Amino acid sequence: MNKELFEEIISNINKNNGLTKKTSERLVNNLIIDKFALDNFVKQLNLIKENISICSICNYYEIESKCIICSDESRNQNVICVVASQLDVNNIEKINKYKGLYHVLGSEINLNKKKSPSEINFENLLSRIGKNSELILALNATFEGELTTNYIYQLTKNLNINITRIAKGIPMGGSLDYMDETTLESAFKNRKKYEV
């Protein structure tokens, strides 16, 4: 393998969120050394490609064309928790207390990264809101999360619905990815009416 090819592979893997250049180098190195691990890794990627997609309603995972959240009839259909990413859903589900639906934005408003409101599908969220809905705003306690929370509030404040926000047990600047289950559970339990 020539050096340019190796660097190209590292660069392409490094484009995935959460992978640093050093992590990408280690991953590629391990896969080159261990062909069994490489075969298994390719197998797992193919399983994802063939079986898992994104739900067109809530933007969470569909497994074999069935959303594991939207298809669960035992969930409260009037409560929608708005989060930034699918990983946020995973973290909330671990506390095993929340039994409503989700809406995954896929991102938060971030003008530095060219994520303006027009780049985020707020229309799909609005189409899901009924007269008895409660929106739980569970976005990150960062500048971008606050901006997005305020934007959603402005979009929905005249709909005469209950708009709540998870409690500030999550520190400013904190990300849901790094919250322990107890903190998340407390934040949900102590949510309150959202007002600007």
Side-chain angles (χ1 to χ4, degrees):
M1 179 188 295
N2 64 39
K3 186 174 181 185
E4 290 77 24
L5 178 58
F6 187 79
E7 289 300 322
E8 181 183 344
I9 292 169
I10 299 296
S11 176
N12 284 325
I13 290 176
N14 189 37
K15 290 176 183 173
N16 291 285
N17 286 340
L19 293 178
T20 63
K21 184 174 182 188
K22 190 53 99 180
T23 304
S24 300
E25 286 175 353
R26 286 184 182 139
L27 174 62
V28 170
N29 184 63
N30 290 342
L31 294 175
I32 291 169
I33 291 169
D34 187 344
K35 296 300 182 190
F36 176 78
L38 175 60
D39 289 341
N40 191 44
F41 192 70
V42 170
K43 180 181 175 184
Q44 300 310 311
L45 292 176
N46 281 327
L47 281 174
I48 293 170
K49 183 178 179 182
E50 293 165 10
N51 298 294
I52 303 175
S53 58
I54 298 297
C55 175
S56 62
I57 298 168
C58 72
N59 297 325
Y60 189 58
Y61 306 133
E62 280 185 342
I63 298 177
E64 296 176 348
S65 301
K66 188 174 183 180
C67 178
I68 57 181
I69 300 293
C70 294
S71 62
D72 184 351
E73 294 179 3
S74 70
R75 289 183 171 268
N76 186 336
Q77 304 294 304
N78 292 320
V79 181
I80 302 172
C81 179
V82 181
V83 296
S85 75
Q86 290 81 10
L87 294 177
D88 296 336
V89 174
N90 295 344
N91 286 327
I92 294 167
E93 285 296 292
K94 286 176 189 171
I95 64 176
N96 207 25
K97 299 283 183 187
Y98 176 71
K99 298 299 179 191
L101 302 176
Y102 292 94
H103 187 83
V104 180
L105 295 175
S107 181
E108 293 171 329
I109 297 170
N110 187 331
L111 302 181
N112 290 332
K113 293 183 179 177
K114 297 188 167 94
K115 287 287 183 183
S116 67
S118 63
E119 302 291 312
I120 301 170
N121 188 359
F122 292 112
E123 291 77 23
N124 197 17
L125 170 62
L126 294 174
S127 71
R128 299 180 66 199
I129 297 172
K131 62 180 180 178
N132 296 318
S133 292
E134 176 188 357
L135 273 190
I136 302 173
L137 303 176
L139 297 163
N140 294 311
T142 59
F143 175 77
E144 292 79 14
E146 292 295 311
L147 189 62
T148 308
T149 296
N150 287 334
Y151 186 83
I152 294 170
Y153 177 72
Q154 294 303 321
L155 281 178
T156 57
K157 69 179 180 181
N158 295 324
L159 296 179
N160 201 24
I161 60 169
N162 192 17
I163 303 170
T164 60
R165 145 174 229 175
I166 58 174
K168 296 279 190 171
I170 297 174
M172 193 63 180
S175 177
L176 290 182
D177 281 1
Y178 300 103
M179 294 302 116
D180 61 273
E181 293 171 21
T182 305
T183 301
L184 265 177
E185 183 177 347
S186 172
F188 265 83
K189 192 186 300 182
N190 298 308
R191 69 184 187 268
K192 56 188 176 193
K193 188 173 176 66
Y194 182 70
E195 295 175 326
V196 175

